Amino acid sequence: METMQAFDDGFATALAPEIVLVIGMFTLMIAPNLGDAKFRIPLTQIRIPWFFGGKRGALESDPRMPGLFASVFFVLAFLLAALSYVNGMNVTMIQSEGGHDLLLVNEFSRIFELIFYGALALASIASINRIPATSRNDRSALGLYNNRRQVDFYILLMTTGLGMSIVALAQDLFLLFIGLELASFSTYVLVSFMKETKEGTEAGMKYFIVGSVASGVGLYGLSLLYLWSGSLQFTELTIAFAENGMEPLPLIALGMLLVGFGFKVSAAPFHFAAPDAYAGATSPVAGVLATASKAMGVIGLLRILLVVASPEATDGAAVWLVALAVLSVVTMTWGNLAALGSTNPKRMLAYSSVAHAGYMLAAITAIGALNWEPEHLNVSNDAALAVVTALIFHLVVLVCFKLGAFLVLSILESEKGGHTLASLGGLAKREPFLAATMFIFMMSLAGVPPLSGFVSKLLVIMGIVKVALVDVTVSGNLTFSDVHWVWYLALLMVINSAISVFYYLRVGLVMFFHEPEAGREGPLPQGKSVRLAIFACLLTTLYFGVGAGQLIALCESAANALVGAW
Amino acid sequence: MIDWISIPLVGLPLVSSLVLLAFVANADGSTRERLGSTIRMVSLVISLAMLALTTMMFFAQSQSLMYEALGLDKALDWTGLGFGSFNFEFRYMWIEALGIHWSVGVDALSFPMVWLTTFLLPVTIVATWNEKYAATYFPLILMMGGALIGVFVALDLFMFYVFWELTLIPMFFLILKWGGKDRKYASQKFFIYTFTASVVMLLGLVTLYFLQPDQALSYSGSWTGRTFDIPTLTAHAQQGNADGAWFLGESMQKILFVMLMLGFLVKLPSVPFHTWLPDAHVQAPTGGSMLLAGVMLKMGAYGMFRLPLAFFPHAAEHFQFWLLALGMISLVWGAIVCLGQTNLKKMVAYSSVSHMGVILIGIATMQPLGWAAALFMMFAHGIISPMLFAVCGAFKHHYHSMEIGAMRGMAQHSPWLATSMMFAWMASLGLPLLAGFVAELMMFLALWHFLAANDWSVLWMVGPALVLALTAAYYLWSMQRTIFEGGKETQPPATLHGEPVPDIADSEKFAMIIMAVFTILFGVMPWIALDMMNGWTVGFFETLLIPILGGA
């Protein structure tokens, strides 16, 4: 591992994707303001070109410019993050001057950067042309306004990306929290970005209030932890937990942090704002919330529960284990049952996202069962590795099909549809390819082979079962009661995924069976860029299902980088 | 040996169906109409090529011309292949980390099913030659065929499960788009029922997967250290079961057996999990019903032979009573419900439930004869039931009604349909010299033998005996009401609105004749298929069951 301080040699290569995003932000801020303004040197007639202000050129005032720029920067950041895999991972720790660990670039943070930038790139590509834009020849205030407003949208997407990658990189709880808040505040604004609609404002408001309460509780937990150990470094917290983690103060603090991250992954009972937020936000933003933002919350949970509180903290730490197990069961069941009854496809996807959060919590419970119970002290953590791999795999492929489903809805949104199931009616007649794609996304969400959703569900089940059987020695006198109780979490998970088929199939039924709503018989709105993004989602959904091997290897190396700390 | 399975039998139908569907995906309505007949022809040619290939595989056991054409040095021996070895066995790495392979092969258990699928594909295509929306219908039929063959040839649990679930998708769309009035309800019910059962099965499979020793077996994953390879697992289970020991321990074996059987019993279907079947059949289009009844139900029985019975013979013996009881209830209940049906297709659907009971009883006897009976029943029912549904489809198509008695005096008005119906009905009720009779007779003998050998009550015979009478009753009664009663003095049904009564189209006639010919062929010369089934069963008992369970 290479250790360096900020702005040392190699700093730029290590954090290249983030730096690209920062450059992108400034570019977006400056570019639309460039014009042909000239500065006259006083008392002379010499005019020096001074590009800020004045009449804008064709490119700067093009309403599609911000979207294109942002997409290019996101794709560039994505490629730079991916490039580090090509040349071999250069694990880099960035420290403060005092020698505290700040950011760690390794396989784990890189794969999450890929998730974040991938999701944001797709959302940004899909959003080009979404905000009603006027032609570039329109020099009216409206044209100007649209262009500038779009700039705001994409800058917020970029700050979201920056915040998320800080969360993935952070080696210090405080830094992690700052990243989390940077991303959160950007998403609050993004959710209510369509301020003309009542739903948008309402959704943003709800999301902000609930989210800031959750953040506040989390921050309070953070401060309690600091009060207790005097440090927020992961490494030092881990040591402190290993020594006397059973004191009430850190346990309460952990519980409070769970609230903060539980909101991000929309686990019950902190999920109430999610359906409203998803329904009110534009679909690409909702897609980002359901994929990238969720992955960010999972990082928080993994860091807190596994890296900090898990190893060596044995006797009695299982208090959290049972709570987490109950939480996971409640979350998956609640999510599925609520999704059954929702007729708004975006709310349905939000609840399905809650259900998926339940599956992930079940997986985290399984890791806990391996690490927190005294009898497993000397067991190798292969099984925990399998579960973390499954979790990461799940988060990666979620970007493919869940975001894809939201993007399909976003096309309908352009014709003021997408808020009712009925508006999907007759999609198969209007655009068969899109309907087939949406059906594939739904089947992938339900976990039907050979799609990537199936592989991710299989991996999670396999991880849980592996943990459940970890202290079972295979012999002729094996009894079923030897199996650890987390096996039943896997059982509940498969039963829940069977329930979920109902509402995923319903979308297919409406698309293929129902007639289009009145006024929606014609072809769907144009939009090459959003279809391109959907097509990318489709290809990855299929590819990671049929050829999952490589991605599993990547996720395994990421999991190793996280769990290797044990 | 050349891999004749992966590409021509599985890949070709799946890929070509996707290509054909992609071809028409964004075409407008009139273009699709024009493309329809071409696509139908392409589908027929592909399915005929597959049939030719599997038929060559069959004749490769005697004809040098055939096995040389297949690139083999010597004749294939289906009968003597026995249990545990496979023809055309090929294995390619798929997902290395988890030990997943694309692994295919056929033995005498799967070969009849593969042949049956390839036989039914062209027959279905011909029988439903004039189905609407041809441009998407025929590719879906092809996709269905590819997925079904995939289930039968898979020798890897992951691959097996993938194809097992993949069969749901084309069937879902076949029911949804071409089905009857309540198709929405039926297709959802069909999907959810079978999906629920199979995810429970999946959990059982994953548990079994991790109950193997780490890195000890061949074809293990580089990361998990376990294997999904079915022959390896079977051999491992066989060792674990030896000397009276229970592989994985008694309670674990029982629970895994139940979890796996649940998936298969729902698919079969057996009472009490059968309720999806009548709905699905009544609403499904003719082609969908033909493949559903002909092959898809057999997946359940095939899966039982391939997995739980081979892995968990002790548990199978333990649950013998329950299997027999379920089979008996399905047999009797299906027949009784048939008596009360006024809908022709629903009656045929329940008769399928009844016949699947025969298969389950055959399995439950744990006798070589009973198993051979079950295997032959799978095969015979796979030829007869598509004919039943083809008749129902023609009935519906021509008279716009499914009610028994809507059309009377059919012998007078449409003799071809009447003849086909009479033949199919007779075949299904087990007339001697037709294929169904052989299977039923064998099942009776096996059941007698089993009851006598184990001192079980003779009262168990009451069920099958009763069903013989009931089956004859409901078939004859429906035939009498439809074909013979009335005649000249009756009017054609009101649903025809005074149009002249039509008879079935030439393509339908042709399909009926083909199915009838094969029903007679396998009734008169059952050994064509029975020999290899018998060989497989005897091999299974000699190598696996008798050393483990004892007895003869």
Side-chain angles (χ1 to χ4, degrees), chain A residues 47-69:
Chain A
R47 288 170 190 274
I48 301 166
W50 168 252
F51 297 103
F52 292 89
K55 193 167 174 235
R56 302 195 298 168
L59 178 68
E60 299 96 290
S61 57
D62 187 336
R64 282 169 305 185
M65 184 275 289
L68 282 172
F69 268 40

Side-chain angles (χ1 to χ4, degrees), chain B residues 62 149 231 415 474 511 521:
Chain B
S62 52
I149 294 177
Y474 64 73
L521 179 71

Side-chain angles (χ1 to χ4, degrees), chain A residues 432 476 480 487 509 514 546 556, chain B residues 25 94 176 184 188 207 223 249 251:
Chain A
F480 185 70
W487 189 86
L509 275 178
H514 285 215
V546 180
E556 192 197 346
Chain B
W94 190 352
L176 188 61
K184 197 173 152 189
Q188 269 179 310
T207 310
W223 177 43
S251 63

Side-chain angles (χ1 to χ4, degrees), chain B residues 30-82:
Chain B
S30 59
T31 323
R32 275 196 208 188
E33 290 290 310
R34 269 190 295 114
L35 287 174
S37 54
T38 319
I39 285 176
R40 178 170 61 196
M41 213 49 179
V42 172
S43 309
L44 181 65
V45 168
I46 290 172
S47 63
L48 281 176
M50 288 160 63
L51 176 61
L53 179 61
T54 50
T55 313
M56 275 169 79
M57 283 182 184
F58 173 76
F59 283 111
Q61 57 183 341
S62 52
Q63 309 292 317
S64 63
L65 191 68
M66 293 296 174
Y67 62 73
E68 276 163 15
L70 287 173
L72 303 170
D73 313 331
K74 59 180 175 57
L76 289 175
D77 186 5
W78 290 113
T79 313
L81 190 61

